[in-house]
């Protein structure tokens, strides 16, 4: 029984870590034409990130609602991976925005996409074959660290995207895009 309680405690800690990562993302801010306007591109970036954030929040809530089991944690991890896969695909599908620094912005979005995919793979790898309390503790440590890294990567990429062009076109686009407004509340 103490081992079960310990695993449940670690699972709750994992869920709390996910919720904290989502909260950190709320301060940051990812569809496509051949050459979308800066505001349309920014709106697509923020929309993809908002969808991802919502999915991560839902996954976290599924393991914090009281009845935590190995299956519920596995399901939550699967939902997190699916959401990250969708976000990375959405970011990769973005064209370059119609700005002077459009190609640099696309490169930054592609780089973030690759970083997040790597993080999702680390999380999935950390949860494979976990059966005991010590394995669960190691997995929670890896997952928490990886989520923290992913949060930093999203924040850094968002800041870089906003400031990538000297004319400030993307910064203004992120300020004016409707879906970015929800992320900065």
């Amino acid at each position: 029984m103490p081992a079960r309680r310990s695993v449940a405690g670690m699972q709750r800690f994992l869920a709390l870590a996910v919720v904290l990562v989502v909260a950190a993302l709320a301060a940051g801010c990812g569809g496509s034409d051949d050459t979308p306007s800066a505001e349309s591109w920014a709106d697509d970036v923020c929309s993809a990130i908002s969808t991802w954030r919502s999915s991560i929040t839902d996954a976290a809530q599924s393991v914090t609602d009281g009845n935590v089991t190995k299956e519920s944690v596995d399901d939550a991890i699967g939902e997190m991976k699916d959401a990250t896969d969708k976000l990375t695909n959405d970011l990769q599908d973005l064209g370059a925005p119609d700005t002077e620094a459009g190609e640099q912005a696309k490169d930054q979005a592609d780089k973030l996409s690759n970083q997040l995919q790597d993080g999702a793979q680390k999380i999935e790898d950390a949860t494979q074959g976990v059966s005991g309390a010590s394995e669960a503790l190691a997995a929670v440590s890896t997952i928490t660290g990886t989520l923290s890294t992913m949060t930093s990567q999203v924040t850094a990429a968002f800041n870089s995207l906003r400031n990538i062009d000297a004319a400030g076109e993307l910064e203004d686009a992120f300020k004016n895009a409707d879906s970015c407004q929800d992320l900065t509340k």
Side-chain angles (χ1 to χ4, degrees), residues 14 18 21 52 56 77-78 80-85 87-88 92 110-128 139-154:
L14 168 61
V18 170
V21 167
W52 179 71
I56 296 292
I77 298 288
M80 291 169 47
K81 175 129 177 45
D82 290 346
T84 301
D85 287 345
L87 174 60
T88 59
Q92 288 171 347
D110 289 345
K111 178 182 174 186
L112 175 61
S113 174
N114 291 333
Q115 291 171 330
L116 293 175
Q117 194 62 46
D118 290 346
Q121 187 61 52
K122 285 180 186 175
I123 289 171
E124 185 176 21
D125 291 347
T127 60
Q128 295 299 316
V140 167
S141 176
T142 299
I143 292 166
T144 303
T146 302
L147 289 172
S148 177
T149 298
M150 290 168 77
T151 300
S152 296
Q153 291 165 334
V154 169

Side-chain angles (χ1 to χ4, degrees), residues 7-75:
V7 170
M10 285 182 273
Q11 291 168 333
R12 285 187 192 99
F13 176 75
L14 168 61
L16 178 61
V18 170
V19 170
L20 292 174
V21 167
V22 170
L25 286 173
C29 235
S32 84
D33 286 345
D34 288 342
T35 310
S37 70
E39 190 169 327
S40 172
W41 190 84
D43 194 57
D44 289 344
V45 169
C46 293
S47 178
I49 291 173
S50 181
T51 298
W52 179 71
R53 181 181 70 173
S54 177
S55 296
I56 296 292
T57 300
D58 291 347
Q61 287 176 343
S62 73
V63 292
T64 58
D65 289 342
N67 191 12
V68 178
T69 64
K70 180 177 179 354
E71 291 76 25
S72 67
V73 171
D74 288 345
D75 289 346

Side-chain angles (χ1 to χ4, degrees), residues 97-108:
D98 188 19
T99 66
E100 274 184 44
E103 285 303 318
Q104 287 177 291
K106 177 161 178 32
D107 290 345
Q108 183 66 45

